[in-house]
Amino acid sequence: MWFLNQETGCTWEVTDQELVLRLQASRHYEQVEEPQPDETEQGVAQTKAQVVKNMKRTEKAQVKEEQEPVHE
């Protein structure tokens, strides 16, 4: 399901059912149809924020740990 953050204008794909229920109950988010790429945006590179899918917090922490450099 796709949700629009009404404060920031960002649209997110949410796959976690628990988060879907929370966002449906929130007045700051609106469920929307899957966004279609505009012709004007086809040549523009997507930012990391635009392509990140929602993950549970434990998954986010794991990804962050994998990305941090090891200091010896």
Side-chain angles (χ1 to χ4, degrees), residues 3-60:
F3 286 89
L4 170 66
N5 181 323
Q6 295 176 350
E7 294 176 352
T8 64
C10 292
T11 304
W12 301 92
E13 181 179 20
V14 181
T15 57
D16 181 59
Q17 189 61 34
E18 186 177 313
L19 182 56
V20 167
L21 295 174
R22 284 185 21 221
L23 295 179
Q24 286 175 333
S26 173
R27 61 185 176 99
H28 298 288
Y29 290 88
E30 174 184 350
Q31 187 174 341
V32 295
E33 296 296 320
E34 182 175 352
Q36 301 298 320
D38 293 338
E39 291 180 17
T40 57
E41 293 182 12
Q42 287 181 351
V44 178
Q46 291 181 325
T47 65
K48 184 177 179 180
Q50 291 171 320
V51 296
V52 170
K53 292 186 178 183
N54 289 320
M55 297 182 248
K56 290 185 177 180
R57 291 175 198 225
T58 55
E59 293 171 334
K60 286 183 180 179

Side-chain angles (χ1 to χ4, degrees), residues 63-72:
V63 169
K64 185 177 179 181
E65 289 173 1
E66 291 172 359
Q67 293 176 348
E68 290 178 352
V70 177
H71 298 287
E72 293 183 19

